[in-house]
Amino acid sequence: MRIGELARRAGVSTRALRYYEQQGLITARRSANGYREYGEADLRLVSEIRSLLAVGFTLDDARPFVDCLRAGHGSGGSCPESVAVYQRKLAEIDDEIRALLTRRAEVAAQLTTACPGCVLRKVGES
């Protein structure tokens, strides 16, 4: 399939696909007329990349997942390198949560000082 079809099927722009190619995450074959040609495996790679980006991973984070799929594994997350990225990302998220909870406690303390009668909402309340 050509780049436009891959873009449409993957829900991305052709510009994004060219960027993924430039970053070495996907590889286009060239037809006789020079058009980029992709296969179903490339659609799977782009889908994996997009799903990882959607939850906060970077393109560099996606590399082990892409490599895992290219190696023939059924899931991009089934290789040890991918598992290590998952673990690192979870640790980063946990650190961010702790930092946010600390900031929340500080703001709540400031609100209590500024407005002693104000009711503090609990985390998750609207």
Side-chain angles (χ1 to χ4, degrees), residues 46-58:
V46 173
S47 295
E48 182 82 5
I49 293 165
R50 298 300 296 167
S51 68
L52 292 166
L53 292 175
V55 295
F57 287 85
T58 66

Side-chain angles (χ1 to χ4, degrees), residues 31-96:
S31 63
N33 59 7
Y35 290 151
R36 288 175 168 87
E37 293 287 335
Y38 299 94
E40 291 299 318
D42 296 305
L43 177 60
R44 186 160 183 211
L45 293 178
V46 173
S47 295
E48 182 82 5
I49 293 165
R50 298 300 296 167
S51 68
L52 292 166
L53 292 175
V55 295
F57 287 85
T58 66
L59 286 180
D60 281 337
D61 292 334
R63 289 183 194 289
F65 296 86
V66 168
D67 292 343
C68 191
L69 287 173
R70 280 189 180 140
H73 295 273
S75 164
S78 62
C79 294
E81 296 83 2
S82 303
V83 171
V85 173
Y86 276 138
Q87 291 170 330
R88 181 184 50 77
K89 183 55 84 175
L90 280 175
E92 288 174 10
I93 292 169
D94 288 343
D95 289 344
E96 292 172 10

